Amino acid sequence: MSAAAPPSAGVRRPSLTRQLLLWSLGALVLVWGSFVFMGYQTGVHEADELTDGHLASVSALLLNLRANAVGEAPQVTPRVATPWLKSHDYQQSLSVVQWDAQGRLLHHSGSAPMPAFSAAEGFANMALGAEGVVWRSFSQWDAARERKVMVLLELRERDELAQDIAEQMIEPGLWLLPVVSLALGLALWRGLRPLYALSADVAALDPASTQRLASRHAWSEFESVVASINTLLDRQQAAMVRERRLANEVAHELRTPLSSIALQASALGGALDADARAQAIARIGQDALRAGHVLNQLLALARASRAELHEAKAPVDLCAVARQVCADFAQAAWQRGDDIALSAPQALWVSGHVLLLDIAARNLVENALKHTPEGTHIAVQVGASEGGGAWLQVCDDGARSRVDDPSAEGVGSPPDSLHLGHEILRRVADIHGGEFGPAPAVPPFTTCFRLDLPPAVVTPPG
């Protein structure tokens, strides 16, 4: 049996490594994207709180400072450039406005346009100036409600600060993603090396040899796979041995009658007297029947294999099968002077293939008729075993008949040297999970062959 042909080079098979890598990276990107989104939102939220807290802190600080003069114009305090500070050093853009209780301006510093006075306190977004620029503000009265302080920051700068903080939080993730992806790919490749080795060893196996998978694949995940492959190889080897032996035996069994037919046919072409010619023709007929019997056995083997593959087991009345077989062979037994007796209960249901069980019963009875002298007593027996299974056996006293009458017809007949009938019965037993072989013969019988079937839960039809 040759190894399976490799897949076509033009057909690209899906890769398990690529599949695992894609799924792992997809899950990683999904989780990473979720964390980036949450981190960005958290950064924006924390920056907003930081800015609002800063505005409130500056307002509380300024309430403790006294303004002695009423301010007439905004005062902008210049600040020395500090390039070493970050670009979002927003403190230099804070604007401060102070009023007294009557709403008179006490102090105004910063670049914010002058807001309108109101008694409201707390945070607010204000659109100031001709261009309507939005400012974030916090205003607060002192304890005596004599002065009110408002601190303002342009909303754009606050958003830029929030974005900067959020980007600083997600930036490590942007650099980490490709590094983790590369490390994940290397880890998957390294972790799947045993699978690559197993695949290579399986591809290198030769079904025709006795090679087996090595024990170096003793990973717990591979135990069942390696054991199954080795079991399949053992079964294939056993099947190949049986098929080779069967082929050799079939060739030998057919060679004898075919050679005899050819020899007798050649003799018919010569000068033979009437008796010799009649003997040659009779011998040709016998050899043709023998060859036909071998071919029938081979067909039965083929039907057994086909039934194993394509037919499901069903409830079968083994007693009904035995009764039908006995009825079919009754005429042939009567013509030989034999008698067939059936010993069986009314019904005995088993789970199996009715076709195969019929073939098995017919082979047992046919072998008893074919390889025993005339006048043989044949018994077909069916019964239930102690374990809940069933058995069918055929017994005969053919050996005793040969001893009592050595000249009886059938003694010199060629036996089925290949035991093709027994090979069929063994095949049927294997398909049903049972056993076949010789059984102890109870006198007056001298030979018994028995088919044992395992117990099974069977629900009879109807």
Side-chain angles (χ1 to χ4, degrees):
M1 183 176 181
S2 60
S8 174
V11 179
R12 185 173 183 179
R13 298 294 182 88
S15 170
L16 178 60
T17 303
R18 187 182 302 109
Q19 186 83 350
L20 288 175
L21 184 59
L22 290 177
W23 276 102
S24 301
L25 290 179
L28 176 63
V29 169
L30 180 62
V31 174
W32 174 85
S34 301
F35 276 104
V36 166
F37 177 77
M38 294 174 60
Y40 185 86
Q41 296 296 325
T42 301
V44 171
H45 178 72
E46 293 300 324
D48 292 346
E49 290 190 349
L50 176 63
T51 302
D52 289 347
H54 192 192
L55 293 177
S57 298
V58 172
S59 175
L61 178 63
L62 292 177
L63 282 176
N64 294 323
L65 299 178
R66 291 289 180 178
N68 298 324
V70 177
E72 297 179 355
Q75 299 178 10
V76 178
T77 303
R79 182 168 185 174
V80 179
T82 53
W84 58 88
L85 294 179
K86 290 186 177 180
S87 60
H88 286 289
D89 185 18
Y90 60 92
Q91 294 182 6
Q92 61 183 353
S93 61
L94 286 179
S95 299
V96 179
V97 181
Q98 297 187 50
W99 294 277
D100 60 11
Q102 289 74 32
R104 290 180 300 172
L105 180 63
L106 300 178
H107 179 78
H108 180 199
S109 63
S111 59
M114 184 63 187
F117 173 79
S118 68
E121 290 183 303
F123 294 100
N125 291 337
M126 298 181 176
L128 304 177
E131 299 180 356
V133 178
V134 181
W135 292 74
R136 180 69 169 174
S137 67
F138 179 79
S139 55
Q140 184 178 7
W141 288 92
D142 62 0
R145 293 190 68 85
E146 294 178 353
R147 287 189 308 130
K148 178 183 179 181
V149 175
M150 178 182 290
V151 183
L152 301 97
L153 174 68
E154 189 175 350
L155 191 62
R156 175 185 56 81
E157 294 187 14
R158 190 194 73 162
D159 294 341
E160 290 177 356
L161 174 64
Q163 183 176 358
D164 181 69
I165 294 177
E167 289 177 353
Q168 294 296 327
M169 293 182 66
I170 68 174
E171 184 176 358
L174 293 174
W175 290 101
L176 188 61
L177 180 62
V179 176
V180 172
S181 300
L182 180 60
L184 182 62
L186 292 176
L188 284 175
W189 175 81
R190 181 62 182 85
L192 290 175
R193 282 179 62 184
L195 182 59
Y196 301 149
L198 176 63
S199 178
D201 289 350
V202 171
L205 285 176
D206 183 8
S209 68
T210 58
Q211 183 183 5
R212 296 295 180 271
L213 288 179
S215 58
R216 67 190 183 98
H217 300 295
W219 297 84
S220 59
E221 292 80 4
F222 293 165
E223 287 181 357
S224 59
V225 176
V226 173
S228 299
I229 293 176
N230 286 333
T231 301
L232 289 176
L233 290 173
D234 292 337
R235 291 178 179 176
Q236 185 176 15
Q237 286 296 320
M240 292 176 66
V241 170
R242 288 197 305 267
E243 295 301 330
R244 282 195 293 265
R245 183 175 65 247
L246 183 62
N248 293 333
E249 291 176 348
V250 168
H252 176 74
E253 182 72 12
L254 287 175
R255 187 182 300 115
T256 301
L258 294 179
S259 299
S260 177
I261 290 174
L263 181 63
Q264 297 300 328
S266 299
L268 288 175
L272 294 177
D273 56 21
D275 292 339
R277 183 177 296 275
Q279 292 179 0
I281 294 175
R283 185 59 184 269
I284 290 176
Q286 293 176 0
D287 291 336
L289 291 176
R290 182 181 177 188
H293 174 71
V294 174
L295 293 178
N296 286 333
Q297 300 289 63
L298 290 178
L299 290 176
L301 274 176
R303 294 174 68 186
S305 299
R306 187 167 59 251
E308 178 184 11
L309 293 175
H310 300 292
E311 295 183 11
K313 291 183 179 180
V316 179
D317 185 0
L318 194 59
C319 297
V321 172
R323 282 193 292 268
Q324 183 62 43
V325 171
C326 290
D328 292 342
F329 281 97
Q331 180 67 23
W334 177 78
Q335 291 177 351
R336 281 173 35 93
D338 300 340
D339 64 77
I340 297 180
L342 174 64
S343 175
Q346 184 65 27
L348 182 59
W349 293 90
V350 297
S351 177
H353 303 279
V354 62
L355 171 65
L356 299 187
L357 294 176
D358 181 76
I359 290 176
R362 289 180 182 277
N363 270 275
L364 286 172
V365 175
E366 185 177 5
N367 287 340
L369 291 173
K370 181 178 177 60
H371 304 297
T372 57
E374 293 184 355
T376 300
H377 299 284
I378 301 173
V380 179
Q381 302 170 350
V382 180
S385 58
E386 295 181 357
W391 53 267
L392 182 149
Q393 70 179 14
V394 175
C395 302
D396 65 73
D397 61 351
R400 184 183 302 275
S401 299
R402 294 188 186 93
V403 173
D404 295 342
D405 186 7
S407 62
E409 183 181 350
V411 174
S413 61
D416 186 1
S417 60
L418 309 181
H419 303 290
L420 291 180
H422 291 177
E423 179 65 25
I424 294 173
L425 288 159
R426 278 190 290 269
R427 186 73 60 86
V428 172
D430 291 340
I431 293 173
H432 289 82
E435 296 179 354
F436 168 75
V442 179
F445 300 106
T446 58
T447 304
C448 287
F449 285 96
R450 177 166 171 163
L451 174 66
D452 287 288
L453 300 176
V457 179
V458 179
T459 303

